[in-house]
Amino acid sequence: MKLTIWGAAKQVTGSMHLLQLEGYTILVDCGLDYEKGTYQEENQYFPFDPREIDVVILTHAHIDHSGNLPTLVRLGFSGQILSTAATADLTEILLMDSVNIFLSKQQKRSKGRKHHSGPLPLYVYKHVTETMERFITIGFHKDFKINTQVSVTFIPVGHLLGAAAVVLTVTENGSQKKIAFTGDIGRKNYPVLTDPEPIPQVDYLVTESTYGGRLHSKDSTLQDKLIETINETCIKFPGRLIIPAFSIGRTQSLVFALNKIFSTGLLPPVKVFVDSPLASAATEVYRKHHQLVNEEARAFYNRAGDEFEFDGLSYVHDKRESISISNYHEPCIIISSAGMLEGGRIQDHLYYNIQNYYCTILFIGYCAKGTLGSRLLRGDPIVRLRNRDLMVYATIKQTDLLSGHGDHDDLINNAKHQNPKLTRHIFLVHGEDKSLQSLSKAFSELGYTVSIPEKGETFIL
């Protein structure tokens, strides 16, 4: 059995891991690599022949794990894609949205030119449709036999609805080995989502490292932070609070948190706009798979109704409605995607408000290096939007209380369910260098054998 780390090696995005058995090849995740800022060029080819992949197993729907599946299909992959049902539903709307982004960027590049300029889209709608036809959905904790050699079990890990660690049981030459891929590990007591469950004992563990060496804030609660920021921005002063948020996962958890604040009278009413068609579609998936939400969300639903609806909340659907928010002159909260400010309607709201002294922009998640979000967070006084250089007069804030990733201690505690005497090797992926090194040191001190793979590095298991 050979493991090759083809993505998220010494970086956060582009998860893609190749597992080669005797006569059978498995790909775990097939995400878009955003690290170099030229993701269409970076993701249009694979370092292997897609036709030689027998099956893909998807940990969860986020685009850095799922976003290049249609390219894989376009280039000849003809096997099945295994995931949970919620992951399949969320993946479809995310991939369709990716096509929208590709086509929008192509249209902007071609504007005013007679001939096409720049790279073609990685894929179009028909490739997404062909990709979704390959999905086979499996419930959590079900031992699903892929063939006589290998079976797969999905273990809930929080982070996103339907997200799972993949545990593979492989039989080769009469002996059995187990390898687990964590995908992204969530955190305990997160709004809407269940806590991550322990991964059963395995021989090999491929684990994410996003928050290695970092701990989430513990000096205040999410509710306290939101109340403080809303009070300062929208109640003491007639301002607007803009919250860039990933449409899938983060937005639903944020809306539930705001629902609890306003429905219990902890703050006077403030108009809330969720300006993202993708978020609206994702919320419907959360409603469809409501059995997967946590006990707190189910109890709220039974007591007070839909956790994703409350007085003063408006879901904005079309572009005209979105533009009209600029003419709303009362204090308000605008939740819009994308979370790192790379595309989406959030850029419209930034354009009109970045020079507004009464505006606060609250980041609630990670922003990769090179993104507009990271430039604002590092304090750039001028940013470029719509081919204009704009002074940053808005207040920039950040909280990690809605981060969907477990922190350093969460990652360590998750791995501690593995006996160091039985787990032969831990591979650290999906993290920046400082996080990887910190986590590697911590695991080594606990007695584990640890590697930080290079991109394309192969291990014989």
Side-chain angles (χ1 to χ4, degrees):
M1 180 165 65
K2 292 195 300 184
L3 170 67
T4 305
I5 305 299
W6 280 119
K10 295 189 174 181
Q11 63 180 50
V12 172
T13 65
S15 290
M16 188 166 61
H17 313 304
L18 190 71
L19 194 65
Q20 294 169 287
L21 316 179
E22 190 174 334
Y24 201 77
T25 302
I26 299 168
L27 189 67
V28 178
D29 287 345
C30 189
L32 286 179
D33 182 342
Y34 281 92
E35 298 293 320
K36 295 182 181 178
T38 54
Y39 64 89
Q40 285 188 240
E41 293 90 334
E42 291 295 322
N43 293 284
Q44 61 182 323
Y45 301 112
F46 292 95
F48 48 80
D49 187 345
R51 294 171 297 181
E52 294 179 357
I53 304 299
D54 293 293
V55 68
V56 175
I57 304 175
L58 183 60
T59 59
H60 66 286
H62 279 148
I63 213 72
D64 61 323
H65 291 256
S66 70
N68 221 15
L69 284 170
T71 309
L72 194 77
V73 170
R74 179 174 63 80
L75 295 178
F77 169 68
S78 59
Q80 295 176 335
I81 302 169
L82 309 182
S83 77
T84 65
T87 290
D89 287 343
L90 292 174
T91 297
E92 182 171 14
I93 58 178
L94 271 168
L95 294 180
M96 287 295 187
D97 187 64
S98 281
V99 176
N100 293 339
I101 293 170
F102 296 153
L103 295 178
S104 174
K105 289 190 174 185
Q106 184 185 36
Q107 186 178 25
K108 287 177 182 177
R109 283 194 301 265
S110 302
K111 193 173 183 180
R113 300 179 183 179
K114 292 182 179 179
H115 302 289
H116 167 75
S117 175
L120 291 170
L122 284 173
Y123 46 83
V124 294
Y125 298 116
K126 75 167 188 173
H127 300 124
V128 175
T129 301
E130 291 168 1
T131 299
M132 297 314 302
E133 289 171 352
R134 304 196 176 284
F135 271 78
I136 301 293
T137 60
I138 304 165
F140 288 117
H141 305 116
K142 307 290 185 184
D143 184 34
F144 181 84
K145 287 194 176 298
I146 297 175
N147 60 21
T148 56
Q149 262 185 305
V150 59
S151 64
V152 61
T153 304
F154 288 129
I155 306 297
V157 290
H159 183 68
L160 180 68
L161 197 74
V166 170
V167 180
L168 292 168
T169 303
V170 179
T171 303
E172 274 192 322
N173 301 319
S175 65
Q176 191 177 85
K177 298 174 185 175
K178 290 194 175 187
I179 179 170
F181 299 82
T182 65
D184 287 350
I185 298 171
R187 55 196 294 192
K188 293 182 178 180
N189 304 313
Y190 191 81
V192 180
L193 299 177
T194 57
D195 291 350
E197 292 186 15
I199 295 172
Q201 181 63 52
V202 295
D203 299 291
Y204 303 96
L205 179 67
V206 181
T207 180
E208 68 120 322
S209 314
T210 312
Y211 270 82
R214 291 183 289 167
L215 298 176
H216 291 311
S217 305
K218 293 182 173 63
D219 54 351
S220 67
T221 65
L222 171 63
Q223 182 167 282
D224 289 341
K225 183 66 177 180
L226 288 173
I227 288 174
E228 174 193 324
T229 307
I230 296 167
N231 191 49
E232 288 178 357
T233 307
C234 301
I235 295 172
K236 286 185 179 179
F237 300 98
R240 51 179 55 193
L241 174 60
I242 297 177
I243 307 179
F246 293 109
S247 300
I248 294 182
R250 206 74 51 86
T251 293
Q252 288 72 37
S253 295
L254 177 59
V255 166
F256 181 39
L258 292 172
N259 192 351
K260 289 187 289 182
I261 289 170
F262 291 119
S263 64
T264 55
L266 293 173
L267 283 176
V270 176
K271 183 68 177 176
V272 179
F273 297 100
V274 176
D275 188 10
S276 167
L278 188 62
S280 299
T283 300
E284 290 305 314
V285 175
Y286 271 64
R287 289 174 175 135
K288 176 182 175 181
H289 297 282
H290 202 258
Q291 78 280 4
L292 297 179
V293 304
N294 65 21
E295 188 176 334
E296 180 196 26
R298 290 198 302 270
F300 185 95
Y301 180 85
N302 292 332
R303 182 180 70 255
D306 191 344
E307 60 267 50
F308 307 119
E309 285 285 356
F310 57 90
D311 290 342
L313 171 67
S314 293
Y315 287 94
V316 179
H317 298 287
D318 61 44
K319 188 73 171 178
R320 187 172 60 180
E321 284 182 86
S322 178
I323 293 169
S324 72
I325 297 175
S326 302
N327 299 318
Y328 186 83
H329 299 301
E330 298 296 321
C332 64
I333 300 167
I334 302 169
I335 303 166
S336 188
S337 64
M340 300 186 195
L341 310 185
E342 292 297 297
R345 292 182 181 176
I346 188 67
Q347 290 203 342
D348 295 329
H349 298 298
L350 284 175
Y351 182 80
Y352 291 114
N353 291 282
I354 198 77
Q355 299 186 117
N356 177 0
Y357 286 100
Y358 289 97
C359 174
T360 293
I361 300 169
L362 176 63
F363 288 90
I364 58 173
Y366 171 83
C367 288
K369 289 181 180 179
T371 61
L372 177 56
S374 71
R375 295 196 291 277
L376 284 174
L377 286 170
R378 75 186 179 195
D380 284 18
I382 301 173
V383 293
R384 192 162 185 81
L385 281 166
R386 294 186 181 176
N387 297 316
R388 284 187 60 192
D389 291 328
L390 302 175
M391 296 295 296
V392 180
Y393 297 136
T395 300
I396 309 299
K397 292 187 175 184
Q398 184 180 32
T399 179
D400 61 9
L401 292 168
L402 257 179
S403 167
H405 287 271
D407 66 10
H408 182 88
D409 287 348
D410 294 322
L411 294 171
I412 294 293
N413 290 333
N414 183 274
K416 277 184 176 179
H417 293 285
Q418 305 298 316
N419 185 335
K421 294 180 180 178
L422 299 177
T423 299
R424 304 181 195 182
H425 213 122
I426 293 180
F427 303 95
L428 301 182
V429 297
H430 203 290
E432 294 175 351
D433 184 65
K434 189 175 179 181
S435 297
L436 292 163
Q437 296 297 338
S438 178
L439 207 55
S440 177
K441 183 175 182 290
F443 281 144
S444 297
E445 289 172 352
L446 291 170
Y448 297 100
T449 300
V450 186
S451 289
I452 302 173
E454 300 283 347
K455 184 175 182 176
E457 189 170 358
T458 297
F459 300 85
I460 306 299
L461 310 183

